Amino acid sequence: MAGHSKWSNIKHRKARVDEKRGRVFTRLGKEIYVAARRGGADPDANPALRTAITRAREVNMPMDNINRNIAKATGELDGVDYEEVNYEGYAAGGVAVLLVTLTDNRNRTAPEIRHLFSRHEGNLGEAGCVAWMFDRRGLLIIPRTGLAMDPEELMLLLIEEGAEDVREEEDTIEVVTAPEELEKIKGILTEHGIKCDSAEVTMVPNSMVPVTDKTTAERILNLLNALEDHDDVQNVYANFDIPDEIIQQLEEA
């Protein structure tokens, strides 16, 4: 779990740069499109769409953009037809990597993803080779700085309200929920004046691969960052456990 949250935090910091480039708008636009196409245009009846819209508003995506993507998904406007394709493989050190992509041309996406794995000393595998190592869960990451209530009281409250697990890390508190309980737990936090760094339905690894070699860690993070930067990649999941001091050294380099 710790490795997953570290990658989530790295992505969260990186997203601040992505926002300036508009990349996050593109990704969230695709997420809104797919959610609306699968579950309908009404956020009240479509939890996936409601979550996607909330995430879009948190990064100040204009409502015109949001509504335009919904209209494309429902056929009211012409638009590109995206399909979800998952890719699985291994990074350096045997770390499992699971990708979720939204693409309008899988014949273009597949070789580009394969090239990125190869370039960073990883291997793209067959479908199913690592998916079994991940479980679909809701994950909320709460910053400890400025927390509006005592951490122990907060943890007890969330467990009583149905969270599957709550644990303290150095700078954050992680809350794991069933996917359908994510919005409920987020609402409880909001009621108590507590904000999250991130709140999403994600794939949580059920086992971790310890990585203590700095060179191997660098190769892993370089691959994950390259995959994150690919236009068709929506989410990247991995089961590394790299010590904080190595991550800090690599971020400062």
Side-chain angles (χ1 to χ4, degrees), residues 153-184:
E153 292 182 8
L154 174 62
M155 294 169 75
L156 288 173
L157 170 67
L158 295 177
I159 291 295
E160 289 174 357
E161 292 292 344
E164 292 183 357
D165 191 19
V166 184
R167 64 184 68 188
E168 292 185 85
E169 296 294 333
E170 183 176 353
D171 299 318
T172 62
I173 295 174
E174 301 170 359
V175 186
V176 180
T177 74
E180 61 274 12
E181 293 293 306
L182 177 69
E183 289 298 320
K184 171 189 169 183

Side-chain angles (χ1 to χ4, degrees), residues 11-135:
K11 289 195 296 181
H12 180 71
R13 292 192 292 271
K14 184 173 178 292
R16 297 169 187 168
V17 178
D18 288 344
E19 285 178 28
K20 297 177 183 178
R21 300 197 304 261
R23 185 183 300 274
V24 71
F25 280 15
T26 300
R27 291 188 176 180
L28 287 172
K30 287 183 180 180
E31 186 177 326
I32 290 167
Y33 173 95
V34 171
R37 189 177 66 174
R38 288 178 175 174
D42 181 6
D44 292 332
N46 184 345
L49 178 59
R50 184 167 63 249
T51 298
I53 291 173
T54 298
R55 292 178 62 191
R57 295 301 294 156
E58 286 174 351
V59 297
N60 300 315
M61 179 184 282
M63 281 305 301
D64 284 348
N65 294 35
I66 293 171
N67 292 331
R68 187 161 54 249
N69 280 289
I70 294 173
K72 289 177 180 178
T74 57
E76 297 176 45
L77 292 175
D78 292 334
V80 177
D81 187 17
Y82 295 108
E83 63 174 327
E84 183 176 295
V85 184
N86 293 351
Y87 295 94
E88 304 172 42
Y90 293 92
V95 167
V97 180
L98 175 63
L99 304 178
V100 178
T101 72
L102 290 176
T103 178
D104 60 347
N105 184 352
R106 65 165 66 199
N107 292 327
R108 178 199 68 237
T109 303
E112 291 178 353
I113 296 298
R114 185 178 301 277
H115 171 71
L116 290 176
F117 270 92
S118 177
R119 180 181 175 186
H120 295 282
E121 302 186 40
N123 293 287
L124 184 63
E126 300 295 326
C129 68
V130 304
W132 60 274
M133 301 182 192
F134 296 84
D135 299 314

Side-chain angles (χ1 to χ4, degrees), residues 213-233:
D213 178 71
K214 183 177 177 181
T215 300
T216 301
E218 184 173 21
R219 290 171 181 165
I220 292 167
L221 295 180
N222 284 345
L223 170 60
L224 300 187
N225 280 320
L227 293 170
E228 281 278 346
D229 284 340
H230 192 283
D231 287 342
D232 293 339
V233 173

